Amino acid sequence: MNFSNIKIGVKLGCAFAIMVALSTVMGGFALLQLARINANTEEMAFTWIPSIQHLDDIQGLLNGVRQAELQHVIGVTAEDKKPEADRINAAKIKLEAVVAKVNALMRTPSEQQMLERFGKELNAYYATDTKLLALSDIGPAEALAALEYLGGDSRTAYRTLLKSTEEMIASNTRGVHAAQDGARSTYTSSRASVVFLVVLTVALAALMGVWIVRQITRPIAFAVGAAKEFAGGDLTMALKPRGSDEPAQLLHALESMRLGLA
């Protein structure tokens, strides 16, 4: 292709269009990568970390229930036992609400399975709690049986629950680390890609700038030199313009003038 046949306006328009296209690609890529980083950050902030906090709350409530059970068993009178039973019932209501919050944040099938298993274990623990409190309410006649049950089936069910919550906390902690790694990886790759695109854009801009400047200034400089020669009376230098862009048209006009003067 003979670029001398292309108008200067078209050349400039193409150069600007290329720069706009490269800038658009770079901007779109940067926005896409930022969206990925934001997604990882939101996943940590609104899913994994809240889940861990809710699971910590569950453990705290279970510890409260366990302490209330112990106080209920060692209590002597009905007045001693009633506040502990009330604490247990209140904790169960709070547990139901917190478990619902955890369920709303579960994303993977494995998490759902862990939560379903936890629900079954929680019901089993509630069953041991009901039996324990019934033995404890009988009084001194069943005090030894209540203590044995507290350290037996009741403790086993309680420890099983704690183990399940620890497993869910560990799963959510792994989710936090995975989101962190994803954000870090996206940032690293994005930084390298954006730097490459910036360097490419700058290099192309410089090359196109030099090329367009030469396409304009060299023919005009030649035309200025020829015009000076003609003004001095030297009409022997024949101009051989090529192309049809604006500088070439100027040289054609000068050549026609030279021939007319000659």
Side-chain angles (χ1 to χ4, degrees):
M1 177 185 293
N2 188 359
F3 290 102
S4 297
N5 293 325
I6 301 175
K7 301 294 184 181
I8 293 177
V10 176
K11 293 176 184 175
L12 291 173
C14 290
F16 284 122
I18 292 172
M19 296 308 302
V20 168
L22 286 173
S23 300
T24 302
V25 170
M26 183 169 59
F29 176 78
L31 289 175
L32 175 62
Q33 299 303 89
L34 284 174
R36 290 178 178 175
I37 294 174
N38 182 66
N40 287 324
T41 304
E42 287 189 347
E43 189 176 23
M44 285 189 291
F46 299 114
T47 300
W48 300 118
I49 294 177
S51 294
I52 293 174
Q53 292 172 340
H54 294 326
L55 290 168
D56 285 338
D57 293 339
I58 288 175
Q59 284 191 333
L61 289 169
L62 289 174
N63 288 332
V65 171
R66 191 62 177 169
Q67 292 172 3
E69 287 177 341
L70 177 60
Q71 294 298 323
H72 193 283
V73 170
I74 65 177
V76 177
T77 65
E79 289 75 12
D80 295 331
K81 296 177 182 293
K82 185 177 184 307
E84 305 306 326
D86 292 340
R87 283 178 57 192
I88 292 172
N89 291 330
K92 288 180 178 179
I93 294 173
K94 292 179 180 178
L95 274 169
E96 182 179 356
V98 178
V99 169
K101 292 179 181 179
V102 174
N103 184 52
L105 294 173
M106 292 298 174
R107 294 290 183 268
T108 63
S110 62
E111 290 177 319
Q112 290 288 348
Q113 290 174 0
M114 284 191 287
L115 188 60
E116 289 175 3
R117 185 184 66 188
F118 173 82
K120 294 177 181 178
E121 293 169 351
L122 183 62
N123 290 331
Y125 177 62
Y126 284 168
T128 65
D129 173 74
T130 301
K131 183 176 180 179
L132 177 65
L133 296 187
L135 288 172
S136 178
D137 284 334
I138 294 174
E142 292 293 341
L144 181 59
L147 286 172
E148 289 179 350
Y149 192 75
L150 179 69
D153 292 346
S154 177
R155 181 174 61 182
T156 300
Y158 172 71
R159 289 181 174 177
T160 300
L161 268 181
L162 288 185
K163 182 179 179 182
S164 293
T165 57
E166 289 171 358
E167 289 177 358
M168 287 189 287
I169 289 174
S171 175
N172 283 274
T173 302
R174 288 192 296 270
V176 171
H177 293 160
Q180 288 176 333
D181 293 339
R184 188 179 300 111
S185 175
T186 302
Y187 166 74
T188 302
S189 62
S190 299
R191 181 179 59 183
S193 300
V194 169
V195 169
F196 170 76
L197 287 173
V198 169
V199 172
L200 177 63
T201 301
V202 171
L204 285 175
L207 290 174
M208 286 189 296
V210 171
W211 175 69
I212 291 175
V213 167
R214 292 184 65 184
Q215 288 282 312
I216 297 173
T217 57
R218 290 180 66 183
I220 291 178
F222 183 72
V224 170
K228 288 180 179 179
E229 293 291 333
F230 299 162
D234 185 2
L235 301 176
T236 59
M237 186 177 65
L239 304 180
K240 298 178 181 179
R242 297 178 180 178
S244 58
D245 59 1
E246 287 84 347
Q249 292 176 16
L250 175 60
L251 292 177
H252 278 292
L254 287 174
E255 177 64 11
S256 298
M257 182 183 69
R258 184 190 70 84
L259 294 175
L261 292 173

